[in-house]
Structure formats: C-alpha cells, structure tokens
C-alpha cells in the first residue's frame, strides 16, 4: 500500500461569505487537516487519511457552516443544503457502486458528529442508516449471514429512535433484556438470526406505540432526519456542559460525517476497536487500545462488553495488527502528536474510521512531549505546545502517602484509567454526586458504567470507579479529559444501585461510606488514606525548565504567609506579586486587636490597637522575606471593607467591649454605624488610609522594619520591597497616601541608619485609574492590575453576587465564560492595554504586572504577554500552569 503523508498546503476554493454561494458539503478527498474549523476534527482527519491513501470508507462531510446556518435559520435546514447533501449522496452511490435502499446492492452509511474540538460521546451518531425490511433481507441473502443483517437492523432502529426521535435507549434495552431472559440467554452472543429478527419486530412495534406512526423506511428521509438530529445534538445539555467545562465556544457548531458503513459485526473475522499510538494514561510508547470481535463501535466505548487488549489482535490477526501499527506510526509522525484512532475490520480487511490527537492524562502528556523530543520527532518548542497548561493542575494535587499505601491492603483492583488520588463518600448516581458535592461533601461516583448523561456528576466527583468497561470506555476517556482520578472495569464491584449499596470482595459498602481510589495503580481502599504534597520532577521538571527558557513573562505568586511563599518558590515562582496583608489578621490571636482598631472611638485608641498588631505583621513580613530571599515582594496595604472583621457573636462583642472599657450597647452602636449598603464600593482600599493615616503608618513600619532586620541578617541580599496602594481612583489620592508611606519609611530608614531602597506603586482596579494612568504614573513606580476589581467595576457586576445570575448569561450565550476567571479581553483588557500604554508614556520603565485571578488563566496570560506586562502573579498552585502558559504565549506570538 502506498502511504505518503506529507504536510500539504492546500488552498481552499472557499466561496465568499454569501450564504447562497457557499459550499456546504465536502467529499473526504476534497478536504485536508487544516480545515478543522469547517470540517470539524473528525472530518479533517478523514480527509487527511483519504488523500494520503489510507483505507478509509468513502464519504462526505456536511460543514460546521451548515450547522451554523441551521441555527441561524431557526433550526431549519435550508433547501439548498438539503439538495447539496442529496447530490453528494448520489455521487457517493456512484463511486461505491451501491444504492441507498436497493435490496440487491444496498448502501448503508454512518452519520456521525464531529466538531472542531473533540467532544467524545457528547453528541450523536447513527450507524447502519439506510436499513429497512427489504434491505435487511437483501443483506441477509447477499452475505449469507442473516444474523449479522438483523443485528445491524435492530441496532439502527434503536439508535435512530434514541437519537433522532429522542425516545431514549431504555425501552429498547428492556425489550432486549426481557427477550434474553425469556430464552435463558446470558449475552448478545447467544442471540440467533431469528432472535434478532424477532427483536426487530418488537422494536418497530415499540416505535409505533411511542410515536403513533410506523418506523421510517425511506433511506433518504432517514438520512436527512439523522443529519438534523446531529446538528440538534450540538445543543443537548451534556454537550453544553462539556463545552463550558472545556472552554469550547458555543457558536462554532458541529460538522456531520456521512460515511459508507463497514461492518465489524459481520462475523468472527470482523471486529472494531479504538487505539492510541501511545498509552494515554502513562504515555508509554507502545500501541495501546482495545477491540471487540464481531461488534460495532458503540460496543467498545459503551463498556457493555469488556473489550480485549489490542495486543490480542496481534495474536488473532497478525497481519491486520501489523498494518494498523504501521498506519498508527505514520499518522503520529505526520501529525507530530499522539493519535487516537478508530478502526473496523470487515472480513479480515482493516479500515480506518477516525484519527485525532488523543486525549491523555497530564502525566502522559509530559512524557509523550519529552519522549518525542528525545526521539527527534519534534523540537522543544513543539513539545511545550503539546501540553495543555490547565492539565498540569491534576499533577499539583496531593498523591497518596506511599507509607500509608504500603500498610493498606486494597479491597479490589480495576484498570488504572486516569491517575490521581481520590477519596470521598460513595454515591451511586451522577445526580447524587452533584447534590452532595454542592453540600460540600467529597464524593466518589460509583457506577456500573458511565454514560454521557453522567458528565456533570463526574465533574463534581473527586474520582470515578466503574464495574465494567475498559481503558477506552466512556468513564476512562472522559475522566482523563477532566484530569480526574478514575478506576475502570473493577469487576469485583457488585452494585445494587436501587439499594444504594455494593459488595466488594466480601465488604458491604453503603452510600456515604468512604473509599479511596488510586488512579495510578487501579487500587481501591476502604476509608480515606492520607496524602502527600506534589513535587515537580522528572518529565514535569524538564518541561518546566524548557518553558522557563522561552518565556519572557515573569511568574510571581499571590502569597500571604511564609508557608505560602515557600510553596510558591517550590513551584517556581520568581517573586510575590500580591501579599494581602489583611489575611494575616484573621488568626485568633490577632483578630481581637484588629477589631479593637476598627471600633476605636478615637485616634489614640486606634494607635494603641495598631501597636499591638505591629509585631505580628513585622514578623510575618520577616518570614516572607526570608523565604523569598532576593526575589521581589509586593505588599499591599489593608484593602477590604472593615466590616468584614467585625464581631457578630454576642460573646465576641462583650469581650471587646470589656477590653475597650465600653458598654456593649455603645459597641453595638459603633458596629451599626460601620454598616455599609455596598461595602465593595465603600470604605475600603486606599480610602482607609485617607481616613486613618495611622493604619498606613503602622503597615509601612512593619514592612520597612522587617526588611531592615532581614537585610541585617543577610547583608548581601539586594531585595527592594514593593509597597502597593490598593483601589486608587485619583492621582491626588495616590499623592496623599504615598506621602504618608514615604515620610514614614524614610524616617525609619534614617533612624535605623540603614540603607534600604523600596518602591511605591499602585493597583489599577478602578476604570478611572486606567483612564488617568499617565497622571497616576507620575507618582506610582509600578502598576499591578487588580483584574478582580477591575472586572467588577468595569462591568458593574458584584464579585460576590454575580455568581447567582451569570448562569443565565451562559445559558443565553451572552457570555461564554466567567469574566472573573477569564479576562474579558475586549473590554477590561482594553483598559489594561490603555493603562499600560499611558503609564509607560509617563514612566518608560514602569513595571507592570497583574495580580487578579486572571494571572493564572492560560488564555488571559497570553493576552498579558501580548500587552507587554512584565509579570503575572497567581496562587502558588497555579504557578506551573502560568509558567507553561507564558512559554506557549511567547512561542505562539513569535510565530
Ligand atoms: C484584584 O482586585 O484583582 C485583587 C487582586 O485584589 P482583591 O482580589 O484582594 O480585591
Ligand atoms: Mg482588589
């Protein structure tokens, strides 16, 4: 066989944006891999494979633009598109020399969804389309295999009824179960041709009962209905949920692939499977996959029958295995990425049905990326682009303590489908997982097998365990995609879902009982095992090192304590971008002094309380400087509305009243006076320093004295504390607060006869500050964009309350994502870019950073890189994610 997979640049003869002249259908040989936007990932992969001469059943792709038009036209498929599809079908008939609905020589097709980004199992598929009574009979006599013909027919009726008519799977599964029971059969393998024929009759009767009309027999009508159903499935609840979870835009639509059927269920010389060019759980460079003989595709992924390892295929059909392995390698080399392929063997002949970049665990992603560099397949920069930064999150969670594991005996073992350590309380349904996790519980979702409807429950669970299904079952694939721990196919589980209990090797476990899952070994333990913190080493360390070589953005961490600072350094932070000083106040020993400070009747009382707080703050800062050594540390002045610290409990109020020698009544009055209707827009940030300069004085003293002390201990250290004023909205505010700080700091430095330099800067959190950034930069030596508040103030959405109504914005597709998690680049981003430009006009060397939540979000990081910021700052656990995202931004932007 001739296989020439070469990188091609095929210029597309795409017509203008005018709908009427658009091409909505592409034969596989007309497309190529660069057309994912139009043909979807599956369509583009099929095109590539077809053009390269791989054994791909022929077919065509109805474009994502047709899907877009279907929705734009009010869920109606324009006649023009219908005709184009029907014309393509006629051409397909001629090419394959088979005819739709012709019992003597029938064409059957699969109708499969395929969006630009793979959404495994989320949208719909119909197989064996084109069947009716005559065609089934024709196939029976043509193949001499009536069992195969009627098995395919009943599959079609069931899928069509479920997908197109939305009658669900259950009524049909029940009919089949009852039939098998009445005959004493154990599995589908016991079913004869006559049995399948009887099932077909029963299925059609069920359809008639539920729909009030007979099952459609006209293949062209079946086809158009199936295409519409696939388009419709773009907006089913699980697809929408999956898109939200994976940040896939809602408006890109899916393509539909119509492809000649090849049959894996034609007998013992046929089969079907799914395989990866490398192991998607570990990254090991060895073909990894599963297949079933005499089966169709859905049997493998649905976990209904436990499939065989692809290594078995080597034994059963060595030639087919060799050919597949050869093609898998070719495809991997061509795409320079690990491939996930579907194949079917029909009477001993191999067909490729799909290839796409395979989803893999974070661990596998790192290993594959490093191995491919070592194998000379790709360069380091390509390797960095192969790892999804948000996936790294999964590696930054604790793993089970090896010492504890060594002492425990697992109660069962399943397949190590997706690594990680998870413990929690057992639940048996996805709905219960959602409910209990919303109540704050950690849950483990236990299922016989999962289905796409379980997606939300899987998302809410700590880990997932299934009794059936292999490494490519739905549970395994989806869990790997989510970076969630999963043990699959644990056959020792005997689940009684109705009774909310299960039996595992003699242990009876009920809903609410704790278990632990080790997704790296597949082991299951009773109770919750202790965990140990993660570390960056091995492949992870190599990738991080390469990332550091190419990125230009510095990565800092938001850390409020020496402990956080230490963790940040371990994850590779190069400084602290935000130390929220108020977080140091919440400890039991300190909060009382804070409260005294807040409710003080006059300046003297306030100063007295502040003096009690000074040593705490100073020693915290000393600890942080010690951890950070010479890295920069940005310390922010007190920011939140004071009422956040006020006592609400009667006991606390009494205690503070006693301390301040005050009547409880009087204290309650003060507390009432401090109440604000809109505290986020109230007395907070630099406004506190305007009203109470003594607070800024005390904090300056703590910051500067701590720095002097640490410098004395380490005379060679050259760190420059960065003192940051929050919530500035006016240049005069900046001037006013800065003067308090500078006067205090300079006096302390002078009196201590030490040499210390420091910087005073501000956060840009209020749109007015962004607009007046050139003025503000006259005073501020650095800007740090507080994009949490900047988003809040730009939209006028309360950070605390928006969560209640934002879901309506997602449902109505006004918003794709939460603007508090991913920067709104068009609006808030415009302010960031404007303020950066204005600020640097005044002060060309103005240091620019970001310390809002967006500092840890990969797509926002790309924006900050492009905007020319010096650093992003994020929580310590996001630091590795930010390091990689910053490297990817540098690579992509350079390209
Ligand atoms: C911000 O507003 O982005 C910020 C970092 O400050 P905080 O979240 O503490 O208001
Ligand atoms: Mg803020």
């Amino acid at each position: 066989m001739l296989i020439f997979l070469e990188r091609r640049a095929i210029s597309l003869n795409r017509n203008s944006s005018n709908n009427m002249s658009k091409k909505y259908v592409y034969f596989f040989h007309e497309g190529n891999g660069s057309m994912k936007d139009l043909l979807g990932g599956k369509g583009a992969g099929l095109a590539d494979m077809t053009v390269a001469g791989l054994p791909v059943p022929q077919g065509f792709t109805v474009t994502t633009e047709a899907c877009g038009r279907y929705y734009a036209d009010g869920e109606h498929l324009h006649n023009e598109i219908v005709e184009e599809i029907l014309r393509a079908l006629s051409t397909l008939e001629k090419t394959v020399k088979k005819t739709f609905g012709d019992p003597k020589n029938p064409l059957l097709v699969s109708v499969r969804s395929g969006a630009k980004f793979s959404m495994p199992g989320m949208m719909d598929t119909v197989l064996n389309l084109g069947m009716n009574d005559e065609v089934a009979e024709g196939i029976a006599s043509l193949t001499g295999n009536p069992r195969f013909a009627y098995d395919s027919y009943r599959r079609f009726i069931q899928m069509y009824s479920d997908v197109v008519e939305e009658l669900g799977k259950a009524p049909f599964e029940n009919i089949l179960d009852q039939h098998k029971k009445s005959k004493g059969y154990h599995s589908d393998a016991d079913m004869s041709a006559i049995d399948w024929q009887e099932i077909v009759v029963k299925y059609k009767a069920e359809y008639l009962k539920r729909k009030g009309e007979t099952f459609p027999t006209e293949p062209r009508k079946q086809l158009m209905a199936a295409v519409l159903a696939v388009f419709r499935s773009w907006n089913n609840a699980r697809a929408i949920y999956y898109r939200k979870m994976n940040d896939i835009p809602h408006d890109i639509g899916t393509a539909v692939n119509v492809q000649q059927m090849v049959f894996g269920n034609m007998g013992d010389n046929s089969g079907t499977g799914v395989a990866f060019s490398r192991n998607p759980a570990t990254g090991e460079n060895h073909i990894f996959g599963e297949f079933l003989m005499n089966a169709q595709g859905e049997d493998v992924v649905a976990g209904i029958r436990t499939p065989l390892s692809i290594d078995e295929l080597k034994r059963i059909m060595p030639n087919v295995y060799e050919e597949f392995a050869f093609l898998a390698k070719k495809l991997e080399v061509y795409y320079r990425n690990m491939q996930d392929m579907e194949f079917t063997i029909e009477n001993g002949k191999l067909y490729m049905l799909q290839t796409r970049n395979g989803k893999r665990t974070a661990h596998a992603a790192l290993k594959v990326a490093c191995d491919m560099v070592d194998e000379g397949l790709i360069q380091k920069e390509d390797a960095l682009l192969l790892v999804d930064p948000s996936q790294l999150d999964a590696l930054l969670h604790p793993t089970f303590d090896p010492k504890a594991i060594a002492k425990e005996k697992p109660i069962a073992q399943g397949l190590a489908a997706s690594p990680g350590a998870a413990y929690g309380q057992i639940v048996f349904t996805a709905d219960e997982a959602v409910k209990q996790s919303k109540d704050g519980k950690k849950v483990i979702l236990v299922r016989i097998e999962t289905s796409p409807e379980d997606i939300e429950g899987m998302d809410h669970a700590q880990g997932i365990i299934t009794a059936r299904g292999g490494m490519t079952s739905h549970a395994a694939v989806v869990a790997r995609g989510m970076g969630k721990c999963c043990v699959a196919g644990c056959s020792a589980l005997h689940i009684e879902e109705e009774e909310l209990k299960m039996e595992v090797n003699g242990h009876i476990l009920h809903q609410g009982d704790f278990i632990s899952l080790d997704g790296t070994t597949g082991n299951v333990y009773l109770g919750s095992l202790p965990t140990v913190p993660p570390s960056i080493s091995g492949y992870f360390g190599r990738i991080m090192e390469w990332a550091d070589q190419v990125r230009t953005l510095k990565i800092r961490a938001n850390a409020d304590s020496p402990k956080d600072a230490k963790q940040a350094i371990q994850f590779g932070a190069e400084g602290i971008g935000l130390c929220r000083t108020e977080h140091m106040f919440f400890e039991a020993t300190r909060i009382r002094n804070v409260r005294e400070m807040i409710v003080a009747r006059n300046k003297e009382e306030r100063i007295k309380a502040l003096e009690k707080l000074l040593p705490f703050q100073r020693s915290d800062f000393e600890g942080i400087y010690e951890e950070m050594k010479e890295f920069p540390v940005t310390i922010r002045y007190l920011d939140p509305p004071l009422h956040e610290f006020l006592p609400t409990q009667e006991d606390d109020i009494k205690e503070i009243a006693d301390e301040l020698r005050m009547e409880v009544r009087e204290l309650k009055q003060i507390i009432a006076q401090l109440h604000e209707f809109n505290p986020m827009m109230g007395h907070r940030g630099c406004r506190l320093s305007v009203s109470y300069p003594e607070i800024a004085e005390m904090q300056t003293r703590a910051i500067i004295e701590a720095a002097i002390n640490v410098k004395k201990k380490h005379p060679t250290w050259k760190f420059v504390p960065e003192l940051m004023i929050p919530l500035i909205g006016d240049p005069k505010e900046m001037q006013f607060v800065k003067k308090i700080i500078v006067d205090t700091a300079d006096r302390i430095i002078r009196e201590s006869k030490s040499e210390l330099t420091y910087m005073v800067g501000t956060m840009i959190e209020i749109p007015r500050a962004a607009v007046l950034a050139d003025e503000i930069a006259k005073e501020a030596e650095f800007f740090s964009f507080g994009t949490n508040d900047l988003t809040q103030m730009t939209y006028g959405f309360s950070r605390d309350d928006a969560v209640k109504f934002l879901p309506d914005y997602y449902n109505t597709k006004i918003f794709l994502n939460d603007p508090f998690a991913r920067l709104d680049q068009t609006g808030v981003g415009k302010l960031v870019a404007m303020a950066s430009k204005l600020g640097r006009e005044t002060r060309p060397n103005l240091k620019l950073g970001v310390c809002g939540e967006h500092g840890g979000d990969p797509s926002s990081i790309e924006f900050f890189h492009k905007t020319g910021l010096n650093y992003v700052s994020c929580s310590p656990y996001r630091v590795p994610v930010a390091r990689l995202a910053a490297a990817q931004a540098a690579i992509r932007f350079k390209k």
Side-chain angles (χ1 to χ4, degrees):
M1 186 192 322
L2 255 187
I3 313 286
F4 289 116
L5 275 168
E6 282 162 20
R7 304 208 149 259
R8 299 170 306 271
I10 293 179
S11 67
L12 272 180
N13 193 10
R14 294 268 296 279
N15 289 317
S16 71
S17 58
N18 176 355
N19 278 336
M20 298 314 285
S21 58
K22 250 184 194 146
K23 179 171 163 65
Y24 287 108
V25 179
Y26 285 77
F27 282 95
F28 295 160
H29 63 80
E30 292 180 300
N32 71 75
S34 70
M35 294 165 69
K36 276 192 186 162
D37 284 341
L38 190 66
L39 304 180
K42 187 175 291 170
L46 284 165
D48 261 345
M49 292 198 292
T50 302
V51 175
L54 268 71
V56 176
Q58 308 231 20
F60 55 84
T61 304
V62 185
T63 64
T64 54
E65 283 178 352
C67 182
R69 179 119 186 245
Y70 163 80
Y71 280 106
D73 290 345
E75 306 200 13
H76 169 80
L77 201 59
H78 196 280
N79 260 348
E80 190 198 344
I81 306 177
V82 174
E83 279 164 21
E84 207 180 328
I85 295 173
L86 294 177
R87 271 200 308 278
L89 183 73
S90 301
T91 310
L92 182 65
E93 286 177 325
K94 285 193 198 95
T95 323
V96 301
K97 301 193 178 61
K98 288 177 187 286
T99 309
F100 234 16
D102 176 2
K104 291 199 207 72
N105 185 22
L107 169 67
L108 295 187
V109 295
S110 64
V111 179
R112 306 202 299 167
S113 57
K116 176 178 179 186
F117 303 104
S118 93
M119 297 168 53
M122 297 302 133
M123 289 181 292
D124 287 329
T125 288
V126 182
L127 301 180
N128 309 311
L129 189 140
M131 277 284 192
N132 56 33
D133 289 356
E134 292 76 36
V135 169
E137 186 143 2
I139 294 176
S141 60
L142 277 171
T143 57
N145 188 346
R147 186 184 183 282
F148 152 69
Y150 288 100
D151 173 34
S152 304
Y153 192 11
R154 68 90 197 179
R155 285 172 186 268
F156 171 57
I157 299 173
Q158 180 168 352
M159 270 189 145
Y160 186 94
S161 305
D162 177 28
V163 168
V164 179
E165 300 298 347
E166 298 177 2
L167 300 180
K169 295 185 183 68
F172 300 91
E173 274 166 9
N174 289 342
I175 290 171
L176 180 55
D177 283 346
Q178 270 169 21
H179 185 94
K180 284 197 282 196
K181 219 182 244 169
S182 73
K183 300 268 176 156
Y185 297 163
H186 296 294
S187 78
D188 289 3
D190 301 328
M191 296 283 284
S192 68
I194 307 272
D195 287 316
W196 286 130
Q197 229 167 341
E198 282 174 27
I199 290 291
V200 165
V201 172
K202 288 183 192 170
Y203 276 10
K204 285 199 297 183
E206 184 69 20
Y207 184 93
L208 177 63
K209 190 175 100 194
R210 287 178 180 265
K211 285 291 297 175
E213 57 191 52
T214 52
F215 189 80
T217 54
E218 217 300 286
R220 279 178 162 72
K221 279 207 183 114
Q222 294 171 352
L223 175 67
M224 293 320 303
V227 170
L228 290 182
V230 173
F231 282 158
R232 224 172 32 233
S233 73
W234 173 253
N235 269 343
N236 70 34
R238 59 179 193 258
I240 292 175
Y241 191 85
Y242 187 89
R243 289 201 294 274
K244 268 190 225 153
M245 210 167 63
N246 292 284
D247 278 335
I248 298 174
H250 292 298
D251 57 1
I252 56 173
T254 180
V256 183
N257 297 290
V258 178
Q259 188 174 25
Q260 185 190 359
M261 281 295 298
V262 281
F263 298 94
N265 59 335
M266 227 179 217
D268 292 338
N269 208 15
S270 301
T272 188
V274 181
F276 295 80
S277 54
R278 299 182 190 225
N279 185 318
T282 63
E284 194 196 346
N285 186 4
H286 179 73
I287 292 205
F288 179 89
E290 290 167 334
F291 75 106
L292 281 169
M293 293 310 280
N294 201 5
Q296 279 199 345
E298 76 268 22
D299 300 342
V300 182
V301 275
I304 295 163
R305 282 163 62 187
T306 298
L308 304 172
S309 153
I310 192 107
D311 295 333
E312 278 289 294
L313 185 64
K314 204 176 197 170
R315 202 178 50 75
I316 304 174
M317 291 186 156
N319 294 343
V320 172
Y321 179 87
E322 283 314 319
E323 186 184 352
F324 181 76
F326 173 75
L327 294 179
K329 202 25 94 194
K330 280 276 171 198
L331 287 167
E332 188 181 274
V333 171
Y334 174 69
Y335 287 110
R336 293 193 279 166
N337 201 337
M338 180 187 106
Q339 293 301 292
D340 164 4
M341 296 149 293
E342 281 179 23
F343 63 93
T344 285
I345 307 159
E346 185 184 272
N347 280 330
K349 175 163 171 40
L350 173 72
Y351 290 94
M352 302 295 285
L353 300 187
Q354 174 172 305
T355 189
R356 60 183 174 195
N357 296 337
K359 294 210 177 297
R360 64 208 79 170
T361 63
H363 178 79
L366 295 168
K367 176 168 165 57
V368 168
C370 291
D371 285 355
M372 284 189 164
V373 171
D374 295 341
E375 292 158 23
L377 214 58
I378 56 174
Q379 302 295 315
K380 283 181 192 169
E381 291 198 352
D382 304 316
L384 290 171
L385 293 175
L386 276 190
V387 183
D388 174 0
S390 27
Q391 256 196 318
L392 297 181
D393 217 24
L395 299 173
L396 298 169
H397 293 302
T399 47
F400 286 127
D401 182 352
K403 284 193 220 104
I405 289 270
K407 283 191 223 133
E408 292 292 327
K409 199 170 149 0
I411 55 165
Q413 190 181 30
L415 301 170
S418 182
Y423 62 85
Q425 290 172 277
I426 294 171
V427 290
F428 293 100
T429 64
D431 287 347
E432 197 60 31
V434 175
K435 192 165 146 270
Q436 297 218 14
S437 112
K438 285 190 174 162
D439 289 343
K441 291 190 184 155
K442 285 187 187 325
V443 297
I444 300 286
L445 180 59
V446 180
R447 304 283 289 149
I448 295 175
E449 66 219 9
T450 63
S451 71
E453 286 81 31
D454 292 337
I455 179 97
E456 195 174 350
M458 294 171 77
D459 189 24
H460 278 79
Q462 302 296 312
I464 298 134
I465 177 163
T466 62
R468 288 211 294 250
M471 289 294 280
T472 50
S473 63
H474 176 268
V477 172
V478 174
R480 280 198 293 273
M482 288 178 174
K484 191 144 285 196
C485 166
C486 174
V487 174
C490 183
S491 53
L493 304 193
H494 299 286
I495 301 170
E496 292 174 48
E497 192 183 310
E498 309 259 287
E499 312 286 316
L500 299 181
K501 67 171 192 188
M502 65 174 173
E503 185 271 330
V504 191
N505 290 328
H507 301 272
I508 306 288
L509 298 171
H510 296 90
Q511 177 166 307
D513 289 346
F514 278 88
I515 56 169
S516 298
L517 306 182
D518 187 339
T520 315
T521 57
N523 282 339
V524 186
Y525 301 89
L526 286 178
S528 355
L529 298 189
T531 54
V532 289
S535 71
I536 299 180
S537 57
Y539 298 114
F540 197 177
R542 273 181 93 189
I543 290 284
M544 286 293 109
E545 204 183 300
W546 297 344
D548 292 346
Q549 286 162 9
V550 296
R551 70 184 161 86
T552 52
L553 266 180
K554 295 268 178 207
I555 311 297
R556 298 196 191 182
N558 294 352
D560 313 324
S561 65
K563 183 167 153 267
D564 286 356
K566 188 171 182 172
Q567 182 66 76
I569 292 281
Q570 276 165 8
F571 285 151
E574 300 160 302
I576 290 181
L578 173 63
C579 171
R580 291 176 165 103
T581 46
E582 62 270 13
H583 287 180
M584 301 170 166
F585 288 158
F586 280 104
E587 274 177 35
T589 43
R590 307 164 180 202
I591 186 83
R592 226 181 56 204
N593 303 135
V594 177
R595 287 170 173 168
E596 280 174 37
M597 182 258 294
I598 295 169
V599 299
R601 277 167 293 207
N602 50 45
K603 192 167 174 173
E604 286 68 45
E605 276 184 10
R606 198 159 30 251
I607 289 177
K608 239 166 91 186
L610 284 165
E611 271 166 6
K612 291 189 207 163
L613 283 170
L614 174 68
F616 292 126
Q617 284 240 296
R618 193 172 44 217
S619 79
D620 285 336
F621 293 144
E622 282 170 8
I624 288 176
Y625 294 139
E626 289 278 358
E627 290 296 346
M628 298 309 290
K629 304 199 165 58
E630 295 192 79
F631 283 128
V633 177
T634 308
I635 297 171
R636 177 181 76 180
Y637 284 77
L638 190 64
D639 177 67
L642 295 182
H643 82 105
E644 281 188 12
F645 299 101
L646 286 178
T648 48
Q649 305 286 331
E650 199 67 29
D651 292 356
D652 292 340
I653 295 178
K654 185 159 180 335
E655 199 183 341
I656 292 168
D658 288 348
E659 183 83 17
L660 295 174
R661 295 183 219 290
M662 199 185 259
E663 291 286 319
V664 167
R665 202 171 31 86
E666 190 189 354
L667 179 56
K668 282 189 174 168
Q669 229 169 26
I670 294 177
I671 293 173
Q673 277 162 9
L674 283 166
H675 171 79
E676 289 183 300
F677 286 105
N678 204 341
M680 268 303 193
M681 313 270 268
H683 203 187
R684 57 173 288 222
C686 61
R687 301 158 201 172
L688 296 171
S689 303
V690 171
S691 304
Y692 311 120
E694 52 278 13
I695 298 180
E697 280 165 20
M698 182 284 278
Q699 291 204 289
T700 308
R701 177 172 282 279
I703 297 167
I704 297 294
E705 287 180 352
I708 291 170
N709 293 345
V710 172
K711 280 223 163 188
K712 273 192 192 135
K713 268 172 80 186
H714 309 279
T716 56
W717 285 8
K718 291 192 188 65
F719 63 93
V720 179
E722 297 174 359
L723 284 56
M724 183 157 79
I725 308 171
L727 228 69
I728 287 292
D730 191 280
K732 289 216 189 86
E733 250 178 340
M734 179 73 205
Q735 244 172 19
F736 181 89
V737 181
K738 185 181 171 188
K739 182 164 179 343
I740 302 169
I741 295 173
V742 170
D743 287 352
T744 312
D746 288 352
R747 195 182 60 247
I748 297 167
I749 295 169
R750 221 177 22 250
E751 284 170 6
S752 72
K753 298 196 177 39
S754 5
E755 282 193 8
L756 177 76
T757 42
Y758 62 92
M759 291 167 80
V760 182
T762 182
M763 295 182 77
I764 302 288
E765 301 178 278
I766 293 187
R768 194 170 190 276
V771 174
L772 299 178
D774 46 349
E775 291 293 316
I776 290 174
K778 286 182 187 156
E779 297 292 335
E781 292 170 278
F782 63 87
F783 285 173
S784 176
F785 291 96
T787 46
N788 302 335
D789 271 311
L790 193 58
T791 301
Q792 166 167 263
M793 311 271 183
T794 303
Y795 273 107
F797 284 170
S798 155
R799 285 161 69 168
D800 307 302
D801 299 327
V803 64
K804 292 191 201 134
F805 57 79
L806 278 178
D808 298 335
Y809 277 66
Y810 310 138
N811 292 338
T812 49
K813 305 201 181 79
I814 297 174
F815 283 2
L816 174 57
N817 337 84
D818 178 354
F820 289 101
R822 170 166 292 193
L823 190 80
D824 154 45
Q825 297 182 11
T826 43
V828 180
K830 203 169 184 175
L831 288 172
V832 172
M834 185 182 78
S836 302
K837 187 166 169 287
L838 286 176
R840 283 198 175 139
E841 273 167 22
T842 302
R843 197 185 279 268
N845 61 350
L846 184 71
K847 200 192 280 191
L848 298 172
V850 60
C851 62
E853 282 306 300
H854 307 89
D857 168 60
S859 89
S860 311
I861 289 173
E862 183 172 292
F863 175 82
F864 297 132
H865 169 87
K866 285 194 284 191
T867 309
L869 265 53
N870 300 94
Y871 69 87
V872 296
S873 188
C874 54
S875 89
Y877 281 84
R878 302 288 293 171
V879 165
V881 174
R883 285 163 74 189
L884 180 57
Q888 292 187 344
I891 297 166
R892 290 207 181 100
F893 202 50
K894 190 170 72 183
K895 282 181 176 169

